[in-house]
Each structure stands twice: as C-alpha cells, then as structure tokens.
C-alpha cells in the first residue's frame, strides 16, 4: 500500500492516471500534482535518465562537506550528471523525519558519526523508497572513486535486486569489535556487535546497489521482531542490511563487479591493498569502483581514468601466474619508482619481508647500512604499527606492500623471490628478517661487498648462514635495545648453540640440518627436526634456483666455501607481544606451533633464558669463534 502523502506515492498515482486513464477526482489530481511539483525529490528526478533510473547516494558527514566533496564534484559526480544520473550527498544530524534536500546535500534524522551508520543507512533506504520514484539506488562512501562508465554502462546494477562485493562470515570469523576504535560514544566504545552468524552480505566500503524491491523488503523486515532484534544488536551497517534482506529471501550478487580496495591500517597511515588487490580504474582497467581510503587521492585517481596504463605497479613471484584479488601474492609498489634503480644497480641489496617490526627496524637498517648496504628491497605485509610509513620515508628503501596471508607465501619466501627475480637476477642479495643481523668477523672490519668479492665466494652463488639465537643475561623485558646496541643488551648464546642430529639432508639431499639448541632447551621433548637454524639466505639469484620455505635449503646453487652467522635477536622485550600476535594470526608453521609453546613458557613466568654453565657471551661460543675466525 502506498502512503498518499509521500511524493513517491503521489508520483505513482499520477503515472497511473496519465498512462492508464484511471480516473482521479479533480481535487485528488490537484493534491497529487501539488505534492509532486513541490517536493525536492521531484526536482531531483526530473530529467533523470530513464535508462538507468538510479540515484547515487554518497555517504558523507558534515565535517567532509568542505574537504572531500568538492573533489568529487569536480570529478566523477560530473560524469554522473553527464549521462543523466542523479546523486545526493547524505549526511546526518537533521531533525526532520522526512529528510531535507538542499541542493545536492540530503540531511537525514540520523546520527552523523561512525556508530550512527546503521541508522543513516536505513534512513537513506527509506528516503529513496518513500520520497523518490527511482528504481535503483547505489550507495557509495565519500572515500571512493566511481568509474561511472564501467559501472553504469554494464548491466549488474540493473539486473540484481542486491548487488555488490559479497562477503561471507562463518561462525567465529567476524570481528565483532571492528567499530570500537572508530566510535566516539560510550556504547560504541564498550559494546560488541552481537548480530548473528553465518551471514552473507555486500561490503559497504565497496559500494552496493538496491532495487526498489530490495528497498521495500528492507523496510518490511524492519517491522518484524527479528528485524528489530537485528537493529538493536548490529553496529555494522552493511551486515545489518544483508541480514535484513536475508529475512526476505534476497541475497547479494557480485557478478562482474570489478573493484579495487585499499585501506589504511591506522588513521593517517598509507593506504595499501586489502582483500581485493587490483589496479586503479583506467582506460585499460575496467574497474567499477576504487576504495581509496585517502581524502586527498580523488583528483589523481580521477585523472587516471583516462590513462592507458595499469597503476599502481605490481610484481608477482616468477613461479606463478600473475593474478589479482585475494591471496594472489601480488606486491604493489608503494615508494617512488626511482628507488628501484638503486635496488637494481647495487652491488648487494638487502631483501626483507616485514610486519610490525618497529622494535627492531631502526637497528636492522643501521646494522646493514654499516655493512655498506646501499639499497633495501622490502615487502610489508600490512603493518599497523608504523613500519610501512617509517620505511616509506627511507630514501634507500624500495618498498612494496602485499596483503596475502603470510602462511600462503611459503612463509615470505614467495615475496622475497618476487623481489630478487624482478630486480636482482645474477646479483648478490641478502634475504634477512628484521631480527637477523649478519656477522662474519668480530669486530666487523670489511663491507659485505668486499667480502663477496673475495676468493671464498668467487665461484659461488649461495652461502649458508647459521642463525645464532641471542638473548640477555637478565629478564627479556629489560632488553629494550634503548642503548641502540642489541649485541650489548642481548649478547649471550648457548655454549653449544646447534644440534646436528636431525634426520635427512633436506628436500634436495644436498645439505645437513642444524637446529637451535636453545629452542630445544626451552621446549624439551620437541621433534628433532624442529627449529631449523640455518638459511641459504645470501644468494646470487638465478631463475633455476629452488628455494624452500624459510630458505633453510636451496637447490640449483653452488655453495660458498665459508659459512656466515645471523645474530638472531628473537628474544627481547618485544618477544611476548610478538608471540601473542603470531598465535592470534596463526600464520607461521603448523598454526604457529613454536609461538604457542613460547607463549605457554612466558605465561609460566619464564622471562629469563640465561642459564649458568650453559650461557656464554656469543663471541665465546666455540661454534661462533670457528666461523668468526675462519677456523676449519
């Protein structure tokens, strides 16, 4: 049933009268005509494209009307107008239940903050349904770029009742505190989302479309007990909408909906690929929407719409086909492309994968710069502690971002291989973790380039590096490296630091296996093959080389005549935090088996690793002395 006092109801009655001849009393005809002609929504719909019959609702807030919206008005919002598509900028904070349309700004009676998004979304659906005759609405956020030609000259928006990027949440998968850090109200900061799982819905950050049938279904579902319960328990507006539509049997379709998503890992951070790793919209990339997550990126993104290029630049591991989307191992260039020239031309480059490494990162860079490293090639795996931003500011770092799960990348080796196969073929590269500091003599006297130019490496293209576990004499919590010298603060190791009883000679049957004595001491009874403590991480990379997960073995390489040492600073003041994070992520070997055992030890109060009669200064270990002194 239509409410006769709404503009849409009046419009419908007039259409029936004009196209079917259905009689209307003169008073009714005058009433309906006046209701339509006087409504702002009639002005909005007048002259709109009958082909598309869609209104685009841009979700914003009062604070962004003078910053983000002007860029959009001189960009893709003009493209909408050029093909007869209408739009409104939706903000909250109003008092009129019917909403107030002033120019292109629609003010609704809903909160204008993050936790108010569910109410704002439902109010927008109601406004479009009740106050306008549009057959479809497309919702988009004010930090997105729409490729109007790609989206609206396709059929997806018009062929489906509910259209967008589908998300599926199985029981236990949902982050019920997603809203907490973005909320300002006490309820938003303290309460969790209690909406049901499983759930299937369109991602709100990627835009979605609703037909008039879907709008009506949403409003019907709101009037049911289950619908009211969903509203009371939900903080996520996109999931709430999908849950309401599921009550009416309507499911989202993502057919041919090509998008790219970038997200900042924290406020003010650099947006990086997340979940949908793709290219920006351009003449040769028919991407319908790009989630920019950057208020200053609209103008540049709009300019790229006419460029015949694929941007940003990406690389992939050479052993797999190039692919886009989730878990594609695509590395996206973040830093200035000019830095790649230095990375390609350096005698030796340090290649690393990092995630949340600000504790060790300054020491890592200082150490390798001290060894003469002129360039770093680094893949960041969605750090949220400032690692990415810190690296982006380093002029000798060529920086990439990758959003694939660490456990799907051969524990980072796929990303390192992508970097060396793209930029370092035939040249020496050191592939090191943030807590691995290379040494081969004490005190250090020569550069890494000079070492590799010597006779021990003349005919070689790989070198074995032993991971010497280092730790402080006192509690781990005291080793915060504030002095700037990890060797001084955590300079002890076990007197016999390695076991060599592990069975087998590696997957290529070409190398013995050394494991960490310290880790077997900390976790007694572990399988003998656990805690491999050797890496072939110094490589003159060739395309036929075969690298194992963890770089513990290499095939198709000629080993050097001498071995080197990674001083491995895993055990420090940051150890407990890192163990907790890795257990939660479950991306390391065997569902982070080693970190789970470490965490259990730390929970039992084992904060001191040093043991009298077992621990010695690292330079007093016979094994270390042999390598440092080049003894046979």
């Amino acid at each position: 049933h239509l409410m006769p006092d709404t503009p849409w109801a009046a419009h419908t009655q007039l259409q029936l009268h004009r196209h079917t001849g259905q009689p209307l009393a003169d008073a009714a005809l005058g009433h309906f005509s006046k209701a339509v002609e006087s409504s702002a929504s009639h002005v909005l719909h007048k002259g709109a494209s009958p082909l598309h019959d869609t209104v685009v609702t841009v979700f914003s807030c009062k604070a962004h009307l003078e910053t983000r919206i002007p860029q959009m008005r001189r960009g893709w919002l003009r493209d909408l107008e050029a093909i007869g598509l209408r739009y409104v900028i939706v903000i909250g904070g109003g008092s009129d239940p019917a909403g107030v349309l002033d120019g292109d700004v629609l003010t609704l009676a809903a909160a204008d903050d993050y936790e108010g998004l569910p109410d704002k979304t439902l109010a927008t659906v109601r406004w479009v349904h009740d106050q306008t005759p549009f057959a479809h609405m497309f919702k988009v956020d004010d930090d997105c770029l729409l490729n109007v030609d790609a989206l609206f000259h396709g059929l997806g928006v018009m062929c489906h009742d509910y259209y967008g990027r589908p998300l599926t949440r199985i029981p236990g998968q949902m982050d019920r505190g997603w809203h907490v850090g973005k909320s300002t109200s006490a309820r938003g900061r303290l309460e969790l989302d209690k909406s049901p799982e499983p759930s299937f819905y369109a991602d709100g950050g990627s835009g979605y479309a609703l037909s008039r049938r879907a709008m009506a279904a949403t409003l019907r579902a709101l009037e049911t007990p289950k619908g009211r319960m969903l509203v009371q328990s939900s903080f996520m507006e996109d999931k709430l909408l999908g849950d309401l539509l599921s009550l009416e049997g309507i499911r989202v379709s993502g057919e041919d909906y090509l998008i790219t998503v970038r997200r900042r890992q924290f406020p003010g951070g650099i947006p990086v690929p997340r979940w949908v790793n793709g290219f920006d919209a351009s003449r040769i990339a028919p991407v319908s929407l790009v989630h920019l997550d950057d208020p200053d990126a609209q103008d540049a993104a709009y300019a790229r719409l006419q460029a015949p290029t694929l941007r940003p630049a990406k690389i992939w591991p050479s052993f797999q086909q190039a692919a886009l989307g989730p878990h594609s191992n695509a590395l996206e260039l973040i830093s200035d492309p000019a830095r790649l020239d230095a990375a390609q031309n350096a005698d030796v480059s340090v290649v690393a994968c990092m995630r949340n490494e600000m504790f060790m990162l300054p020491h890592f860079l200082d150490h390798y710069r001290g060894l003469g490293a002129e360039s770093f090639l680094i893949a960041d795996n969605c750090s949220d502690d400032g690692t990415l931003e810190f690296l982006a500011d380093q002029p000798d770092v060529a920086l990439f971002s990758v959003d694939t799960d660490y456990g799907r990348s051969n524990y980072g080796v796929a990303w390192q291989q992508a970097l060396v196969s793209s930029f370092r073929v035939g040249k020496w590269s050191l592939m090191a973790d943030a807590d691995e500091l290379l040494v081969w003599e004490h005190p250090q006297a020569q550069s890494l380039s000079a070492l590799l130019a010597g006779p021990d490496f003349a005919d070689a293209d790989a070198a074995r590096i032993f991971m010497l576990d280092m730790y402080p004499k006192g509690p781990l919590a005291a080793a915060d490296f504030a002095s700037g010298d990890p060797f001084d603060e955590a300079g002890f190791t076990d007197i016999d630091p390695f076991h060599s009883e592990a069975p087998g000679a590696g997957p290529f049957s070409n190398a013995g296996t050394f494991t960490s004595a310290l880790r077997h001491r900390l976790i007694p009874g572990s399988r003998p093959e656990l805690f491999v403590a050797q890496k072939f991480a110094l490589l003159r990379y060739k395309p036929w080389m075969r690298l194992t997960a963890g770089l513990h073995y290499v095939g198709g390489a000629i080993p050097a005549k001498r071995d080197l040492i990674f001083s491995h600073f895993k055990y420090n003041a940051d150890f407990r935090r890192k163990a907790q994070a890795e257990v939660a992520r479950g991306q390391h070997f065997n569902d982070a088996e080693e970190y789970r055992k470490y965490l259990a030890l730390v929970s039992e109060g084992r904060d001191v690793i040093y043991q009298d009669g077992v621990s010695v200064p690292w330079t007093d270990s016979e094994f270390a002395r042999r390598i440092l002194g080049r003894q046979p």
Side-chain angles (χ1 to χ4, degrees):
H1 296 284
L2 299 173
M3 295 183 295
D5 290 331
T6 65
W8 161 233
H11 176 91
T12 302
Q13 295 286 354
L14 286 174
Q15 292 294 92
L16 287 172
H17 170 68
R18 290 165 181 166
H19 293 290
T20 70
Q22 177 179 323
L24 285 173
D26 290 342
L29 181 60
H31 171 77
F32 291 144
S33 298
K34 184 178 181 181
V36 169
E37 296 295 337
S38 64
S39 69
S41 55
H42 169 75
V43 176
L44 180 69
H45 188 265
K46 187 176 181 180
S49 166
L51 172 64
H52 302 291
D53 202 11
T54 299
V55 60
V56 176
T57 59
V58 182
F59 274 39
S60 188
C61 62
K62 291 179 181 178
H64 294 166
L65 289 179
E66 302 301 324
T67 55
R68 300 186 182 189
I69 302 306
Q71 298 179 68
M72 301 170 77
R73 287 191 179 117
R74 61 177 175 258
W76 59 266
L77 290 179
R78 291 190 309 177
D79 294 345
L80 290 174
E81 296 173 331
I83 61 172
L85 274 161
R86 298 297 185 250
Y87 73 87
V88 291
I89 310 298
V90 181
I91 64 173
S95 57
D96 189 335
V100 175
L101 184 61
D102 183 10
D104 62 359
V105 177
L106 172 63
T107 305
L108 296 174
D112 205 31
D113 52 19
Y114 184 80
E115 54 268 51
L117 278 175
D119 286 343
K120 184 186 289 186
T121 299
L122 297 177
T124 303
V125 172
R126 186 178 297 280
W127 185 85
V128 174
H129 180 269
D130 290 353
Q131 303 291 325
T132 81
F134 289 105
H136 301 271
M137 63 168 279
F138 186 87
K139 178 263 183 187
V140 61
D141 290 343
D142 65 2
D143 57 358
C144 295
L145 173 98
L146 271 191
N147 185 351
V148 173
D149 285 343
L151 180 62
F152 291 105
H153 288 162
L155 296 177
V157 173
M158 301 182 67
C159 288
H160 302 280
D161 288 315
Y162 184 24
Y163 183 69
R165 179 169 82 96
L167 296 179
T168 301
R169 293 290 177 259
I170 62 175
Q173 187 181 35
M174 179 179 168
D175 181 359
R176 297 187 176 277
W178 172 267
H179 60 283
V180 171
K182 303 180 180 184
S183 296
T184 56
S185 69
R187 177 174 177 263
R189 292 195 306 268
L190 299 175
E191 288 190 22
L192 298 179
D193 190 296
K194 302 181 182 68
S195 56
E197 293 175 321
S199 182
F200 190 65
Y201 59 97
D203 172 30
S206 304
Y208 55 78
L210 298 175
S211 70
R212 180 160 290 275
R213 174 174 175 263
M215 292 182 240
T218 301
L219 300 178
R220 282 197 307 271
L222 277 175
E223 302 304 318
T224 67
K226 287 185 178 180
R228 289 191 290 270
M229 181 188 71
L230 285 171
V231 172
Q232 293 172 358
S233 59
S234 300
F235 278 94
M236 302 178 191
E237 86 288 351
D238 48 3
K239 183 176 182 299
L240 169 61
L241 183 62
D243 289 343
L244 288 168
L245 287 171
S246 71
L247 297 179
E248 295 288 320
I250 296 178
R251 288 171 64 87
V252 62
S253 172
E255 181 182 14
D256 297 330
Y257 190 46
L258 300 180
I259 63 168
T260 293
V261 176
R262 293 191 181 85
R263 289 278 189 178
R264 292 177 290 183
Q265 298 303 102
F266 59 89
I270 297 173
V272 297
R274 289 294 281 153
W275 310 306
V276 185
N277 195 320
F279 291 108
D280 286 343
S282 72
R283 283 172 54 191
I284 57 176
V287 176
S288 295
L289 178 145
V290 181
H291 186 115
L292 301 167
D293 204 15
D294 181 353
D296 299 321
Q298 280 280 349
D299 288 338
Y302 183 71
R304 284 194 291 271
L305 281 175
Q306 301 305 318
T309 56
L310 293 175
R311 289 290 183 271
K314 298 179 188 288
I315 62 172
W316 287 263
S318 63
F319 57 78
Q320 72 168 64
Q321 291 184 341
L324 298 175
H327 305 305
S328 59
N329 278 322
L331 280 71
E332 181 173 300
L333 182 63
I334 300 297
S335 57
D336 189 325
R339 296 186 191 178
L340 293 175
D341 294 336
Q344 288 181 300
N345 296 326
D347 289 339
V348 183
S349 186
V350 179
V351 180
C353 302
M354 296 191 178
R355 178 183 171 89
N356 291 347
E357 297 290 359
M358 279 307 299
F359 181 87
M360 276 297 300
L361 183 53
H363 310 295
F364 174 88
L365 295 174
D366 287 347
H367 180 82
Y368 286 109
R369 286 165 178 159
L371 297 183
E374 299 174 350
S375 173
F376 298 83
L377 278 163
I378 297 180
D380 180 84
N381 189 207
C382 299
S383 294
D384 58 13
D385 71 339
T387 293
L388 178 80
E389 290 70 24
F390 182 86
L391 289 169
D393 286 338
Q394 307 304 309
D396 53 357
V397 173
L399 179 62
F400 291 78
S401 178
V402 57
D403 65 335
T404 299
D405 286 351
Y406 183 75
R408 296 172 183 252
S409 67
N410 285 334
Y411 307 108
V413 174
W415 307 334
Q416 291 171 313
Q417 193 271 347
L419 293 168
V420 294
S421 65
S422 296
F423 307 110
R424 300 292 303 170
V425 173
K427 297 183 177 181
W428 284 106
S429 300
L430 176 69
M431 294 189 271
D433 293 342
D435 58 6
E436 295 172 342
L437 305 185
L438 185 71
V439 293
W440 60 88
E441 58 189 357
H442 184 73
Q444 209 75 42
Q446 64 180 152
S447 70
L448 184 53
S449 294
L451 171 73
L452 294 173
D456 291 330
F457 297 86
D459 300 319
D461 47 27
R464 180 170 58 179
I465 306 176
F466 289 99
M467 301 166 66
L468 186 68
D469 285 325
M470 311 276 281
Y471 50 86
K473 188 171 186 178
L476 296 184
D480 59 7
F481 299 166
S483 69
D485 187 352
F487 290 90
D488 180 60
E489 294 190 40
F492 288 84
T493 189
D494 281 13
I495 191 168
D496 295 313
F498 300 103
H499 293 166
S500 57
E501 302 84 33
F508 310 118
S509 300
N510 63 354
T513 297
F514 288 79
T515 62
S516 167
L518 169 65
R519 287 180 251 181
H520 278 287
R521 172 163 71 86
L522 293 177
I523 311 174
S526 296
R527 302 187 303 279
E529 70 273 15
L530 285 183
F531 318 132
V532 177
Q534 64 187 34
K535 287 186 174 184
F536 288 86
L538 184 58
L539 300 173
R540 183 151 45 186
Y541 182 77
K542 309 289 175 50
W544 54 81
M545 286 182 176
R546 292 167 292 167
L547 311 177
T548 65
L551 295 171
H552 298 308
Y553 308 93
V554 62
I558 302 172
K561 296 177 182 178
R562 67 174 297 186
D563 299 318
L564 309 175
I565 287 177
F566 268 144
S567 293
H568 189 208
F569 291 97
K570 176 192 287 281
Y571 306 100
N572 51 51
D574 195 43
F575 179 68
R576 181 184 180 92
R577 180 207 62 82
K578 194 160 191 176
Q580 290 174 325
E582 296 309 329
V583 167
R585 287 206 310 147
Q587 294 295 314
H588 282 265
F589 172 72
N590 199 18
D591 194 24
E593 174 185 6
E594 182 178 350
Y595 279 105
R596 290 178 185 277
K597 293 177 178 178
Y598 286 143
L599 200 55
L601 289 176
V602 173
S603 298
E604 294 170 3
R606 292 283 300 276
D607 193 39
V608 176
I609 291 176
Y610 181 92
Q611 183 176 326
D612 287 333
V614 174
S615 303
V616 296
W618 72 282
T619 52
D620 289 349
S621 163
E622 182 179 347
F623 189 100
R625 290 167 66 91
R626 184 165 68 249
I627 293 180
L628 295 175
R630 302 183 62 183
Q631 300 173 14

